[in-house]
Amino acid sequence: DAKTTQPTSMDCAEGRAANLPCNHSTISGNEYVYWYRQIHSQGPQYIIHGLKNNETNEMASLIITEDRKSSTLILPHATLRDTAVYYCIVRVRVSGNTGKLIFGQGTTLQVKP
Amino acid sequence: DADVTQTPRNRITKTGKRIMLECSQTKGHDRMYWYRQDPGLGLRLIYYSFDVKDINKGEISDGYSVSRQAQAKFSLSLESAIPNQTALYFCATSDWTSGRTETQYFGPGTRLLVL
């Protein structure tokens, strides 16, 4: 099973870009990388996912290295409401095209005024 | 996400009691999941169901059972609660849309305390 490694915590100044790294060196060629976040004790919230190409949506951008062994989630203009635990997840294949997500401990991002 | 609801939101029970946590969704998704989260840790998968007739154990299913009563309902039971099952429990859903993607939508959580 592919595993991910993230820093335990990071700080970011409000209004600046937050760049959250993730290593997934054992990822398989057809496995997606997912990012979720959890604000306080609320249910996790989906942010973005990708396979090979860089992805962008209204919340964030995802940059995946060419060898796919690492990725970076970018919050372009962090706000205080972006303070949360961010989880980088590689989908674990169960059988065929069916899979599940395994959550690690994530990165606690603290956005400061 | 208001489309995924969990009841109760908070529950205090005693060791040995049987309790049930319920999850309902109006998203029309075929897949549902139960996770638990302990303080300072990530989520761990208890059970998951890909449709009404397909239920699977996750990482930590011992001491738990589930029932998928309908596509929209997935219940988690603790047959005989013990203190180390004190945790925050989340239900989630997902829709098999295309290929290998798994975007999950989580409920607000149930905080369970076993005395």
Side-chain angles (χ1 to χ4, degrees):
Chain A
D1 295 346
K3 298 185 185 301
T4 63
T5 303
Q6 299 177 253
T8 301
S9 63
M10 294 181 62
D11 290 342
C12 177
E14 187 178 19
R16 302 296 295 272
N19 297 276
L20 290 87
C22 179
N23 289 320
H24 31 78
S25 58
T26 60
I27 192 171
S28 298
N30 60 355
E31 289 183 324
Y32 284 77
V33 178
Y34 290 80
W35 283 84
Y36 283 76
R37 73 179 182 183
Q38 186 176 24
I39 298 174
H40 194 44
S41 294
Q42 298 177 21
Q45 176 189 25
Y46 165 81
I47 301 173
I48 199 168
H49 72 275
L51 181 64
K52 296 180 181 179
N53 300 319
N54 298 336
E55 303 287 345
T56 295
N57 63 20
E58 64 279 4
M59 291 183 67
S61 295
L62 175 60
I63 309 298
I64 302 174
T65 58
E66 190 171 348
D67 64 7
R68 301 203 339 111
K69 293 185 177 182
S70 65
S71 61
T72 301
L73 178 74
I74 301 172
L75 307 178
H77 304 287
T79 70
L80 298 179
R81 289 179 295 180
D82 291 322
T83 292
V85 178
Y86 287 77
Y87 297 99
C88 169
I89 304 163
V90 174
R91 178 183 171 277
V92 174
R93 189 174 71 88
V94 174
S95 64
N97 290 333
T98 298
K100 59 184 180 181
L101 303 176
I102 303 296
F103 287 77
Q105 295 193 18
T107 296
T108 298
L109 175 68
Q110 181 72 47
V111 180
K112 298 184 175 182
Chain B
D1 192 317
D3 297 324
V4 183
T5 57
Q6 293 183 233
T7 55
R9 293 294 311 278
N10 295 279
R11 178 74 183 270
I12 300 174
T13 191
K14 295 181 178 180
T15 297
K17 294 291 187 180
R18 180 182 186 276
I19 66 165
M20 178 182 290
L21 309 183
E22 299 188 354
C23 176
S24 295
Q25 53 116 345
T26 59
K27 300 185 77 68
H29 289 172
D30 54 345
R31 299 170 176 222
M32 299 187 74
Y33 310 79
W34 275 105
Y35 294 87
R36 70 174 276 176
Q37 185 173 34
D38 296 281
L41 300 179
L43 280 71
R44 291 184 290 169
L45 185 62
I46 306 173
Y47 271 96
Y48 57 104
S49 170
F50 287 154
D51 64 41
V52 175
K53 297 180 181 180
D54 182 1
I55 294 178
N56 304 277
K57 294 182 177 180
E59 306 168 77
I60 53 165
S61 59
D62 288 347
Y64 301 95
S65 62
V66 291
S67 173
R68 186 81 183 267
Q69 301 96 319
Q71 186 190 41
K73 296 184 182 295
F74 193 35
S75 300
L76 176 71
S77 294
L78 287 68
E79 296 300 326
S80 180
I82 55 177
N84 75 1
Q85 290 178 314
T86 292
L88 185 55
Y89 290 84
F90 289 104
C91 173
T93 73
S94 70
D95 182 31
W96 186 249
T97 53
S98 61
R100 302 172 175 86
T101 60
E102 288 284 348
T103 301
Q104 297 187 12
Y105 298 86
F106 285 80
T110 294
R111 193 172 296 278
L112 175 65
L113 173 62
V114 182
L115 300 175

